[in-house]
Amino acid sequence: MSVSAHNLHKEQVLQDHLIECLAKDEGYERRDPVIDYDRALAMDKALALRFVKETQPDEWSRLVGHYTASAEETFFKQLEKALKDRGLLDVLRQGIKIVPGIKFALCYFRPASGLEPKRIAEYQANILSAMKEVEYSTKHGNRLDVVLFLNGLPIVTMEAKNLLTGSTFRHAERQYRTDRAPASEPLLTFKRGALVHFALDEDNVSMTTRLQNGKTRFLPFNRGRDGGAGNPDVDDEFRVAYLYRAGAWGEAIFSRGVLLDVIGQFMHLETNGKSEVMIFPRFQQLDAVRKLIGHARDFGAGHNYLIQHSAGSGKSNTIGWLAHHAIKLHDDADQPVFDTAIIVTDRIVLDRQLQGTVSQFEQTQGVVRKIDGTSKQLKEAIAKGARIIVTTIQKFSTEHLKEISGQGKRSFAVIVDEAHSSQSGKSAQAMTDALTREASSSDDIEDIIAAYQKARGPQANISFFAFTATPRNVTLERFGIKGADGLPHPFHLYSMRQAIEEGFILDVLQNYMTYKAYYQLEKAIEDDPALSGRRGQRKVARYANLHPTAIGQKVEIIVEHFRRHVMGMLDGQAKAMIVASSRDHALRYYFGVRDYIKAQGYDDLKALVAFSGELNYEGETYTEADLNDFAETELPNRFDGFKPDGSPFPDQYQILIVAEKYQTGFDQPKLCAMYVDRKLAGLQAVQTLSRLNRTRQGKDQTYILDFQNTVEDIQTAFRPFYEVTALEANSDPNLVYDLEGRLFKFGYLDKDEIERFAQTYFKGALDGGDRARLEGLVREAVGRFDADEDEGRQEEFRQLLKSYMRFYSFIAQIMKLEDTSIEKLYSYGAWLARLLPNREVPPEIEITDEMLRLQAFKVEQKEQGSASLSPGDRAALKAISEFGAKPYTEDEQKELSEIVKAFNDRHGTNFSEADMIRFEQVNRDIMDDDLTEMLRNNPPDVVYTAFAQAFFQGAIKMFQKDNEMRNIVLTDAEARDKATRHFFNRALREARDGSLGAEREDSRHG
């Protein structure tokens, strides 16, 4: 843009340019602040009169007829009273009434459909205007740089600064806080005056809806820049041009289309007890909803959208706005795009906050149906065509929903809360079935099976809008938009990095301290067979971890750190969480903390514990409720310290000890510290530590003390989700045939039996089926499985069958498959997996002090400082590419080359790296759930012996027909140890990368 040199340094340069663009491009009228602004009423009376006289002449005539010469005075008196009593937002939406029943609209919003020309004309008749340098007070000469009006009523105020004069939007914020007192100023009074106040310079924008002098809180209103805070460059324009000009971002924020949409469908007054907050959408919320709705308008139903919005982004509001916009959306032919919006969450109990938020936006009674009762309620809501339904995903997996059919001609916007967990498995498929199921028009079995298979894939009548802060690779492939690179990407992004830089959430990695435990164990009973093997080794490690000496030292570190660094935060309201590795561990921690507090006389400190079910310890049985002395359901409020009505509990608790329960999905903004004594990786690490990231006044930092993980471990977990989550490559759908082929090689499956099963099973969809015949057919394969005495082969088949079931279910969701044979194998496999005999689990080994003695234990601090990630520090997720070990890293490849060379040099052999990678199969054979858990949850030096024993036995078995390799493994301890160490590290990386069951599935799907 061009600006004359003599104006370049004047404060007015931005405000003049902004008003000029609004007048030229958006149809704003320029108004004179001296002539046209009424300070006492805080409005442009002439424009307000012009609007009602031109758009509602009959009502104005009635008013004049009734009140004659005092008509105008009466109108403004009643308007001012309504503004004071109800607030500007409600007046704009509902208008005012004047005796004897004369109703005036003060604004006309865009109609959902263009079928009523009168309503379109009314919408176009709204008058947008702008004033600059507005003296708003009757008490002093203070001016606001810009005020925007809608039909003469003030909706936006702005303070605009010029960077070249050394003043920024921060100076504008300060000006609002220190020099724009709202008391007795109608323009600045909360609810009665302008709806929103913007502070801006040429580069940045922030906004607030309530001026409270020094307590005023501004929120960023920026687009984001290179994955972080701020705004990107705009050619020949200021970076804040999105406020007043159309561009690559779409319509201008202050355009008629956007601003009236925000006032009509986004803004709302949120009431929580005695406090009130006027919600104005943040930029990423507004941008996401408008872009999603715009795409759906242009392309109709049947598309998937992934919205990667960080924690702290106001997801519940975004979901609510999206649902209400979706049911009003019409295409260019004025046909509704969606009949119903269904909001699904994976929480067993419907999220009350989400329920309440969606209902708050309801402007017509009965639009929102909250399914917090039975699935019968959900069935009725769908069958009767409810407009917005809020439900849990589990309610679709019931018999009631199987009765629904005939919905295929209706279209649905399915809005998914936490997409990574609620869109896999039977419940998700049951939902798709309920929304697409039609009465069968064919009795041909192949047609029926093809219809089942088709129902798994993309559906023309369903659009999925999937929200998550941490998309897994399967989530990206299921819901992502294909980019020019052929890979899936989020449709909309508000990154963790941007949220941190903008101050919506805290950086939980800013103060990270790690500790390492060292201990020596003495076997009291030499060569006890119960202590040999991997299960024994795991029990030994657990014994050390649960030993009172170990817990006692850690408790001392935790309690003293909390008292020294955390307890005084938030005016003494600060809380902390101890994350234990198991329920038993949590119970021991609770006793340890309780006893230490008592011994030290710390009367101002109390702890709670959370675990499910009952636990036995030293002959006593304990429950969570017994120890805490109140019901489990009360824990969140008791830990917070305040009752729902805002009054305090007599007992205040500062520390909560958890294992699985409350480790994720627990929202407590007062949490300032976390003490981690559990192995964490991947999503579990991000979700667990993110319990700390909630902001609160006075909370500007957090602390993490970690006894199990390194800084590098945690950074590796966070890296894929810090900026935009990306995928290295797409999964190869042909791997489903690879799995199918590998399953048949075992000799347990018979194609003819599977075919007969399918004929009976899918015919049962029509006539109820024959369970006895189906089970009889499957038991043929179970018999062949039982007859195989090779437990290793049995377990490999069991794992491959699970892999096939998961991978087929996934791949069938993202593309249309036209091969009924793999659908038949899937339905057959579901029965077979249930009927296969369980593996024999050896009895638990109870290790006692008589068997082992802890000779020495010490905990040493290792790392301290910031573990925060830097801009550009990112890692792509792996695609589902193989059903075995993870691909080699550069370091592992180098190490493997060295091992191969050492083998060949010592024995004159000519092994290649490919020969050595055959050891991967040994890892696959031995890495059962027990060994995986053992590697995941214990120090490497503790578990190496158990792994080495299993690896040695597996290698001998693997190379029984390869004498050369077998002899080296048997006789050369040094070479064997090098190979074992290498593959141990590979197994360790895989176990810890996949600390969640679903995480292992991400990279191996098996």
Side-chain angles (χ1 to χ4, degrees), residues 721-738:
F721 310 110
Y722 183 56
E723 295 183 345
V724 63
T725 300
L727 196 61
E728 277 190 352
N730 290 307
S731 299
D732 179 3
N734 289 296
L735 287 171
V736 74
Y737 290 120
D738 177 58

Side-chain angles (χ1 to χ4, degrees), residues 27 76 234 271 336 358 378 511 539 584 674 730 765 886 889 982:
F76 284 112
V234 180
T271 305
V358 176
L378 174 60
N511 292 310
K539 284 288 185 179
D584 281 334
M674 188 173 281
N730 290 307
K886 289 179 176 292
T889 66
H982 174 78

Side-chain angles (χ1 to χ4, degrees), residues 525-577:
I525 303 174
E526 285 301 314
D527 302 319
D528 189 325
L531 299 184
S532 64
R534 72 185 88 150
R535 291 180 63 79
Q537 290 287 337
R538 187 177 65 170
K539 284 288 185 179
V540 168
R542 187 167 181 270
Y543 168 86
N545 204 33
L546 291 176
H547 198 281
T549 303
I551 289 177
Q553 286 193 30
K554 293 173 185 175
V555 162
E556 181 178 356
I557 291 169
I558 290 167
V559 173
E560 295 304 331
H561 178 275
F562 180 80
R563 291 185 66 82
R564 189 174 302 117
H565 298 285
V566 184
M567 199 168 178
M569 297 172 66
L570 307 183
D571 296 324
Q573 288 285 308
K575 311 286 183 186
M577 181 182 278

